[in-house]
């Protein structure tokens, strides 16, 4: 088991398949730089397979594919098929555009839960946030996943003045639809124009929810990042991922691999361990992985703590979210 110096056991690996995306979400991709990595720098399908096996042998029991947009990678199907043979729960986070082509493969690969990002229920606003006019396609694919029996979590980054007014509509959606909406506090990454005033906090989200419906707090699963709530009589649920105002680092079990094969022990870690180069040199990657886990900071990559209003983004050293793999 991969334990860090704070006794946290790590059994969840998030693998970014690509830094390429067919969307340009304003909070994720730096607007001034849309250059993607050359494919030779990316982990190739067979390399992903080998690295994933090492992690599974070290105790990883859940793998999430992410990106960029994981499903726009040309060999995404091959990668999903190959990872499905490991005794680990396989899942993914997607913007939803390509889902229809993957439904059968998801089922054949034992994928039963899918996270789809959707920040607004308004077509025009969707176009403004993502720079793509694809709301209808994403909406239909979310419905398709639900109709096909998948557990669908919808990730919604709440940004003040942009979509905070839609919180009641998202909760209303859960009334007759078995969908699980997760409101995410806006986080700072390289080039995403973050500032504290744009964060719509956990407390503010709950205040709005309370004004609109009655609900109960659900029991947290082990290592849960989302605080989950069940409105009475609703088919679905809503949750809040409160990274900025109430971080959940003390029971974090997550590790990350960027598309170019660098391991990050935290979304906000400064350091990266170069797993891919070690693999390509024929070295044993187990010590590299263990050293990276040991170096994990107690909270938020050691880059900030306390009141998020006081964060100085010029002092944070990290990549952009699209580059790390969310
Ligand atoms: N393209 C896929 C998608 O959009 O679902 C997967 C990659 S995306 C980077 C993964 C998740 O990170 C998405 O749910 C997205 O909303 C979230 N995300 C990106 N930037 C964020 C930010 N600045 N704050 C909070 N969440 C963010
Ligand atoms: Fe692409 Fe997802 Fe980032 Fe949007 S959030 S730009 S869909 S990677």
């Amino acid at each position: 088991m991969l334990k860090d110096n704070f006794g946290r056991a790590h059994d969840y690996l998030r693998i970014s398949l690509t830094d390429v995306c067919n969307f340009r979400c304003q909070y994720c991709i730096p607007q001034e730089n849309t250059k993607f990595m050359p494919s030779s720098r990316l982990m190739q399908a067979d390399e992903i397979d080998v690295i994933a096996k090492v992690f599974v042998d070290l105790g990883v029991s859940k793998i999430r594919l992410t990106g960029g947009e994981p499903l726009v990678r040309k060999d995404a199907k091959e990668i999903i098929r190959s990872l499905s043979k490991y005794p680990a729960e396989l899942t993914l986070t997607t913007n939803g555009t390509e889902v229809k082509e993957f439904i059968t493969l998801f089922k054949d690969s034992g994928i039963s839960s899918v996270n789809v990002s959707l920040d607004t229920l308004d077509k025009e606003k969707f176009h403004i946030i993502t720079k793509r006019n694809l709301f209808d396609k994403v909406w239909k694919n979310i419905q398709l996943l639900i109709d096909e029996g998948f557990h669908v979590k919808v990730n919604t980054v709440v940004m003040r003045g942009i979509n905070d007014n839609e919180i009641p509509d998202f909760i209303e959606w859960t009334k007759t639809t078995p969908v699980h909406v997760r409101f995410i506090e806006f986080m700072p990454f390289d080039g995403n124009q973050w500032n504290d005033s744009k964060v719509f906090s956990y407390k503010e989200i709950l205040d709005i929810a309370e004004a609109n419906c009655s609900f109960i707090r659900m029991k947290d699963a082990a290592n849960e990042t989302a605080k989950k709530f069940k409105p009475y009589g609703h088919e679905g649920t809503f949750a809040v991922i409160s990274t900025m105002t109430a971080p959940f680092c003390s029971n974090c079990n997550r590790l990350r691999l960027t598309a170019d094969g660098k391991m990050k022990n935290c979304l906000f870690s400064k350091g990266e361990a170069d797993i891919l180069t070690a693999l390509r040199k024929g070295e044993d990657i187990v010590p590299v992985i263990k050293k990276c886990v040991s170096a994990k900071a107690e909270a938020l990559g050691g880059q900030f703590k306390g009141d998020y209003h006081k964060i100085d983004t010029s002092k944070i050293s990290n990549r952009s979210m699209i580059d790390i793999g969310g």
Side-chain angles (χ1 to χ4, degrees):
M1 185 49 78
L2 291 165
K3 271 204 178 169
D4 69 7
N5 294 337
F6 300 92
R8 294 171 294 198
H10 294 78
D11 58 3
Y12 181 6
L13 177 67
R14 302 167 74 102
I15 305 178
S16 173
L17 295 190
T18 176
D19 63 335
V20 172
C21 189
N22 50 347
F23 282 9
R24 295 288 178 274
C25 302
Q26 51 184 243
Y27 53 77
C28 177
I29 184 166
Q31 303 302 298
E32 71 283 3
N33 180 10
T34 47
K35 268 203 199 138
F36 301 114
M37 295 173 198
S39 61
S40 59
R41 257 184 70 194
L42 300 184
M43 295 182 288
Q44 303 302 299
D46 57 332
E47 292 169 332
I48 293 174
D49 187 71
V50 171
I51 295 172
K53 179 174 186 317
V54 173
F55 274 96
V56 171
D57 290 345
L58 288 169
V60 162
S61 58
K62 179 171 177 179
I63 296 176
R64 176 175 301 280
L65 304 179
T66 180
E69 174 46 42
L71 301 184
V72 299
R73 182 166 161 153
K74 284 198 181 68
D75 52 2
K77 287 190 175 166
E78 185 192 330
I79 294 167
I80 291 171
R81 226 175 267 121
S82 83
L83 296 185
S84 70
K85 64 180 176 287
Y86 294 121
E89 180 191 344
L90 185 60
T91 184
L92 74 151
T93 302
T94 171
N95 65 23
T97 55
E98 309 309 303
V99 153
K100 197 170 173 200
E101 315 308 318
F102 282 80
I103 290 278
T104 308
L105 176 67
F106 289 169
K107 287 185 180 170
D108 293 347
S109 308
I111 293 176
S112 57
S113 174
V114 178
N115 289 15
V116 185
S117 299
L118 183 71
D119 305 307
T120 176
L121 300 170
D122 178 296
K123 230 185 206 187
E124 304 304 319
K125 207 189 283 181
F126 182 95
H127 195 168
I128 293 168
I129 293 174
T130 65
K131 314 276 188 303
R132 299 293 182 266
N133 192 11
L134 288 168
F135 176 85
D136 289 339
K137 193 172 187 194
V138 172
W139 182 255
K140 274 191 201 143
N141 280 341
I142 290 174
Q143 299 302 328
L144 178 67
L145 282 166
I146 293 169
D147 293 346
E148 292 288 334
F150 289 86
H151 183 82
V152 179
K153 295 183 200 160
V154 166
N155 287 354
T156 305
V157 179
V158 186
M159 291 160 287
R160 188 179 307 281
I162 295 184
N163 58 351
D164 55 297
N165 62 331
E166 293 191 60
I167 291 168
D169 299 337
F170 273 103
I171 295 177
E172 182 67 19
W173 185 23
T174 68
K175 198 169 197 171
T176 51
T177 311
V179 66
H180 306 279
V181 177
R182 292 138 47 95
F183 299 114
I184 306 177
E185 288 178 347
F186 182 29
M187 298 182 273
F189 294 99
D190 195 37
N192 78 348
Q193 322 272 311
W194 182 93
N195 72 54
D196 63 318
S197 70
K198 293 183 189 164
V199 176
F200 203 78
S201 71
Y202 171 36
K203 182 178 179 311
E204 290 174 292
I205 293 167
L206 270 200
D207 285 349
I208 292 187
E210 269 165 12
N212 282 274
C213 66
S214 306
F215 52 83
I216 48 162
R217 171 90 192 253
M218 295 168 72
K219 201 169 173 290
D220 293 337
N223 309 110
E224 187 57 83
T225 53
K227 294 157 181 79
K228 291 192 270 179
F229 302 91
K230 172 93 182 160
Y232 292 107
H234 285 215
E235 290 204 29
T237 63
F238 73 92
V240 185
I241 300 183
S242 56
T243 315
M244 302 311 300
T245 65
F248 28 78
C249 304
S250 60
N251 62 349
C252 179
N253 64 341
R254 291 158 172 72
L255 299 170
R256 294 167 187 271
L257 264 182
T258 61
D260 56 347
K262 308 284 193 310
M263 180 178 164
K264 282 176 79 77
N265 55 27
C266 170
L267 188 51
F268 297 106
S269 66
K270 266 190 209 170
E272 298 180 348
D274 193 346
I275 304 285
L276 184 58
T277 301
L279 183 82
R280 286 183 178 173
K281 283 186 184 159
E283 292 168 8
D284 182 4
I285 61 171
V286 173
V288 188
I289 293 171
K290 288 190 170 164
K291 192 172 166 204
C292 182
V293 173
S294 297
K296 181 159 173 155
E298 187 172 12
L300 299 166
Q303 297 230 55
F304 47 91
K305 58 180 173 190
D307 184 355
Y308 72 94
H309 293 291
K310 296 189 180 136
I311 292 174
D312 177 355
T313 49
S314 68
K315 297 212 168 98
I316 298 179
S317 160
N318 207 351
R319 304 197 206 190
S320 62
M321 182 62 133
I322 195 161
D323 222 6
I324 300 167

